[in-house]
Amino acid sequence: MLSWSKVLSTTDAQQQTTGGIVPYLRLTSSGLSSGNFQTWFRQTFFNCCSWHPGSFNSKPVEEAIVSFQVIIQGQLLGNIAFTVTHDQSRQYNNNAPNTWLHWPSQMSSLLQATNYAGRQVVLTRDNQNVFTFEIN
């Protein structure tokens, strides 16, 4: 089983800040016990996914659609497809993480309606390549 976790910041939790709402979760070194977070998500955590060329803000990226079993505070919401993007050059912009998990509209609406800032998000992938997204 592979696992990663992070405490959601206000920005991560889709709450308004002075800089505005960011439509993705940055996959950072937080909660990563070993490996380089800039490559671990693409080469290890999501390596079983089908990656293809995509774009974000008119910039070329690698992209995968990943179905996650979503659980929010113990309530199973079902499977939701997330877009994951990876751009190995993102790190050159203030050491930004190279891999982002983009909020699908259903998740974005849910997060904006209820403030989960300060709560822990946990991503897992089991031995059968089943992905889980959980907010505790």
Side-chain angles (χ1 to χ4, degrees):
M1 166 112 53
L2 296 173
S3 179
W4 173 82
S5 65
K6 175 183 182 180
V7 173
L8 292 171
S9 68
T10 301
T11 302
D12 294 329
Q14 294 290 277
Q15 298 300 301
Q16 188 66 47
T17 65
T18 56
I21 293 177
V22 176
Y24 48 82
L25 177 64
R26 295 171 183 96
L27 302 182
T28 64
S29 61
S30 175
L32 188 61
S33 60
S34 66
N36 178 348
F37 76 100
Q38 296 293 21
T39 58
W40 185 82
F41 291 99
R42 172 63 180 89
Q43 294 177 0
T44 303
F45 193 78
F46 294 115
N47 71 334
C48 63
C49 297
S50 178
W51 289 88
H52 57 276
S55 68
F56 181 76
N57 286 342
S58 302
K59 189 166 190 316
V61 296
E62 287 185 277
E63 181 177 281
I65 306 299
V66 181
S67 180
F68 281 88
Q69 180 179 27
V70 176
I71 303 167
I72 307 291
Q73 293 186 301
Q75 181 180 2
L76 177 62
L77 300 183
N79 289 326
I80 298 176
F82 287 73
T83 299
V84 180
T85 62
H86 178 82
D87 175 359
Q88 64 186 11
S89 68
R90 283 181 181 148
Q91 65 187 326
Y92 303 123
N93 183 13
N94 298 318
N95 203 31
N98 287 340
T99 310
W100 297 344
L101 183 70
H102 298 262
W103 298 118
S105 59
Q106 180 181 0
M107 287 297 301
S108 184
S109 297
L110 181 126
L111 293 170
Q112 289 175 27
T114 304
N115 187 354
Y116 292 103
R119 298 206 175 262
Q120 185 177 55
V121 61
V122 179
L123 304 182
T124 58
R125 185 184 99 192
D126 70 14
N127 295 335
Q128 283 74 45
N129 295 328
V130 174
F131 290 90
T132 302
F133 174 101
E134 186 169 2
I135 296 177
N136 297 318

